[in-house]
Amino acid sequence: MPTFELNLSDDVYAEFQQLAEQEFVSEEQAAEDLIASGIEAYNVSVVDDDPRDEMLDGAENNMFDTAQDPGSLEDDRL
């Protein structure tokens, strides 16, 4: 398993130790789980779909649908 060294401020390390004691079996497991959770939270898929794009596409399609006979003479007959 790869290892690495990390420098933390005293405050952050104290919080980490407290969390590791309360929630995890060991500091090693705490570090692994917290880093994995952080990576998972960081790798959020970005949705680039703008709902306005769909609305504009729909409006554009409707313009072409009604352009065939916008003022139908047959509809005006009594």
Side-chain angles (χ1 to χ4, degrees), residues 43-77:
N43 286 327
V44 198
S45 61
V46 177
V47 177
D48 195 24
D49 292 335
D50 188 358
R52 292 178 291 171
D53 291 342
E54 289 179 22
M55 183 186 76
L56 292 175
D57 289 343
E60 188 175 278
N61 289 338
N62 285 340
M63 283 191 335
F64 291 117
D65 289 343
T66 58
Q68 292 174 0
D69 193 7
S72 177
L73 295 176
E74 293 179 17
D75 292 341
D76 292 337
R77 292 185 186 170

Side-chain angles (χ1 to χ4, degrees), residues 6-36:
L6 179 65
N7 295 319
L8 300 172
S9 68
D10 292 336
D11 294 340
V12 173
Y13 184 64
E15 287 182 48
F16 170 76
Q17 282 182 316
Q18 184 179 13
L19 183 63
E21 288 174 10
Q22 293 174 357
E23 301 291 329
F24 297 94
V25 175
S26 66
E27 283 189 9
E28 183 178 284
Q29 181 199 11
E32 185 176 341
D33 287 354
L34 292 170
I35 290 170

